[in-house]
């Protein structure tokens, strides 16, 4: 018998025993080590996704861990292998899959939302979802490979090139990761963020950060770019004002990459799109190539993900961690230690506390 964190109703989580069945054909049983709590998990916690999430539901899709058992027909994996999971299961028959876009399958099973996730001591998944981790990569850092893969995909969708000027609107975990990945691609990057704590972290990572409450961001961009405007902007805030800023900072033929999930339709300055021949691209999830690149960027230290880890808590304290994250600005990323079912919290990891 193992433990799992379950969503049971709006703003209600529990830690309960869970059965661990042997892996079936093509499946692998994992022992999750660390699981990150992300913004989507918070939406589920608030009850915003009850139409999609069937309670009781085990949450979590940002994870690292090790193989425990392999099922029949699985080759190339053995107990003890360090892995993360690309939590996507597609049907391979819909129009999107047939066109090669399996990550946006029209009947996608996002594991950890549509089916049981990683916030448990044993987790069985298809072997096809496994991504190998180097033995040198600490498993707490490896838990941030999944959000880094999101950032890699976003930067790729935006077509960021060396020497371009990029503005990231929203300095939460994904926004900071996008800024770091864009910088690694050779872009000159600015971050727009209201939270003083998040701006400070960005600056500690040698990113220039602006406060939209005090700064005239479009004016700063004009000064920075010699009145040309930015080549690319990423909207990661999820706020109406963030959309306005992302559009306003773009120069002629600039690209706006929409990353945040907006729960309702937004007004957009379409005249600006017409006048400057702007392009809007959506960016959702990732593919295996994005994941493998994210592993490399995290493993070699190009993306110092440890700086985003605010705190590590044992499995039994995961419900309290969700409440702590609701405050937003002073916390970046909380990891749940699935190997630890005690009631004592670990010390905060990294510098983002």
């Amino acid at each position: 018998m193992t433990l799992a964190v379950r969503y049971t109703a709006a703003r209600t989580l529990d830690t309960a025993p869970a059965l661990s069945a042997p892996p079936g054909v093509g499946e692998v049983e994992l022992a999750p080590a660390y699981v990150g709590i992300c913004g989507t998990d918070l939406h589920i916690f608030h009850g915003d996704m009850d139409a999609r999430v069937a309670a009781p539901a085990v949450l979590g899709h940002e994870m690292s861990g090790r193989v425990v058992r392999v099922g029949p027909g699985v080759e190339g994996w053995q107990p003890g292998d360090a892995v993360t999971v690309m939590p996507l299961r597609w049907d391979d028959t819909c129009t999107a899959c047939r066109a090669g876009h399996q990550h946006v399958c029209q009947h996608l099973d996002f594991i950890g939302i549509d089916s049981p996730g990683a916030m448990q001591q044993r987790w069985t998944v298809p072997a096809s979802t496994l991504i190998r981790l180097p033995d040198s990569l600490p498993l707490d850092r490896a838990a941030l490979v999944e959000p880094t893969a999101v950032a890699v995909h976003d930067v790729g969708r935006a077509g960021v090139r060396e020497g371009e000027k990029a503005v990231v609107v929203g300095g939460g975990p994904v926004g900071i990761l996008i800024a770091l990945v864009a910088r690694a691609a050779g872009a000159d990057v600015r971050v727009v963020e209201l939270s003083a704590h998040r701006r400070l972290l960005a600056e500690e990572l040698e990113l220039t950060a602006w406060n939209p409450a005090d700064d005239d961001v479009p004016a700063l961009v004009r000064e920075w770019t010699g009145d040309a405007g930015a080549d690319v902007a990423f909207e990661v805030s999820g706020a109406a004002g963030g959309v306005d800023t992302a559009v306003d900072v773009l120069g002629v033929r600039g690209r706006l990459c929409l990353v945040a999930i907006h729960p309702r339709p937004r007004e957009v300055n379409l005249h600006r799109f017409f006048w400057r021949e702007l392009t809007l691209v959506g960016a959702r999830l990732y593919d295996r190539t994005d994941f493998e690149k994210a592993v490399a960027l995290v493993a070699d230290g190009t993306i110092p993900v440890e700086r985003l880890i605010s705190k590590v808590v044992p499995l039994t304290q995961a419900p309290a961690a969700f409440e702590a994250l609701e405050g937003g600005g002073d916390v970046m990323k909380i990891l749940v230690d699935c190997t630890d079912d005690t009631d004592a919290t670990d010390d905060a990891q990294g510098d983002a506390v």
Side-chain angles (χ1 to χ4, degrees):
M1 191 72 71
T2 62
L3 292 177
V5 176
R6 307 182 311 166
Y7 169 78
T8 58
R11 302 191 57 79
T12 306
L13 300 173
D14 67 15
T15 305
L19 293 175
S20 179
V25 175
E27 294 182 331
V28 174
E29 183 182 28
L30 306 178
Y34 297 94
V35 179
I37 303 172
C38 82
T40 301
D41 296 323
L42 282 177
H43 284 305
I44 296 172
F45 175 62
H46 293 152
D48 297 336
M49 298 177 66
D50 282 358
R52 179 175 173 184
V53 177
V58 180
L59 306 184
H61 57 271
E62 302 179 0
M63 65 80 63
S64 64
R66 294 189 182 277
V67 174
V68 175
R69 291 187 288 180
V70 299
V74 174
E75 297 180 356
W77 299 102
Q78 60 185 6
D81 286 345
V83 298
T84 186
V85 166
M86 185 174 72
L88 308 180
R89 187 187 287 115
W90 48 80
D91 64 12
D92 252 343
T93 62
C94 71
T95 303
C97 286
R98 293 199 306 271
H101 308 308
Q102 288 91 343
H103 71 291
V104 286
C105 169
Q106 291 165 255
H107 309 106
L108 186 69
D109 172 5
F110 192 106
I111 306 173
I113 299 176
D114 304 307
S115 56
M119 212 168 287
Q120 53 185 317
Q121 293 176 318
R122 291 292 185 271
W123 189 35
T124 299
V125 296
S128 59
T129 66
L130 299 186
I131 305 289
R132 192 176 301 277
L133 297 173
D135 290 334
S136 59
L137 178 59
L139 290 180
D140 57 348
R141 299 182 188 184
L144 275 79
V145 164
E146 193 270 355
T148 303
V150 170
V152 170
H153 185 75
D154 298 340
V155 170
R157 283 286 290 155
V160 174
R161 297 182 291 272
E162 185 172 0
E164 290 193 316
K165 289 182 165 52
V167 176
V168 179
V169 182
V174 171
I176 292 294
L177 288 170
I178 289 171
L180 293 171
V181 172
R183 183 173 70 184
D188 189 7
V189 184
R190 299 293 185 269
V191 176
V192 179
E193 170 57 45
L194 284 167
S195 164
H197 176 83
R198 290 177 171 181
R199 290 199 308 276
L200 177 61
L201 175 61
E203 290 163 0
E204 289 174 349
L205 292 168
E206 299 182 353
L207 296 164
T208 300
W210 292 326
N211 180 2
D214 297 331
D215 301 324
D216 184 339
V217 173
L220 288 172
V221 170
R222 289 193 296 272
E223 179 181 354
W224 169 44
T225 63
D227 205 33
D231 300 291
V232 60
F234 296 88
E235 205 307 281
V236 202
S237 72
V243 175
D244 293 339
T245 298
V247 173
D248 289 346
V249 299
L250 288 171
V252 171
R253 292 208 167 182
R255 290 103 63 200
L256 170 57
C257 184
L258 183 62
V259 178
I261 298 173
H262 288 259
R264 61 185 62 85
R266 302 292 191 191
E267 289 190 4
V268 179
N269 185 352
L270 292 180
H271 183 268
R272 187 83 166 188
F273 273 79
F274 157 75
W275 198 252
R276 293 202 164 189
E277 292 197 347
L278 304 181
T279 298
L280 171 65
V281 295
R284 178 185 171 202
L285 300 175
Y286 29 60
D287 58 26
R288 180 166 289 271
T289 301
D290 297 323
F291 248 87
E292 291 171 347
K293 184 173 181 179
V295 169
L297 289 170
V298 172
D300 69 11
T302 299
I303 308 299
V305 295
E306 68 276 7
R307 302 293 297 277
L308 275 67
I309 302 173
S310 302
K311 195 174 186 180
V312 180
V313 302
L315 191 70
T316 51
Q317 292 201 5
F322 274 74
E323 295 179 4
L325 278 168
E326 288 184 293
D330 291 342
V331 180
M332 290 294 280
K333 181 65 67 176
I334 295 180
L335 301 184
V336 175
D337 182 352
C338 292
T339 68
D340 185 356
D341 58 7
T342 68
D343 288 330
T345 54
D346 292 338
D347 292 334
Q349 303 294 305
D351 294 329
V353 293

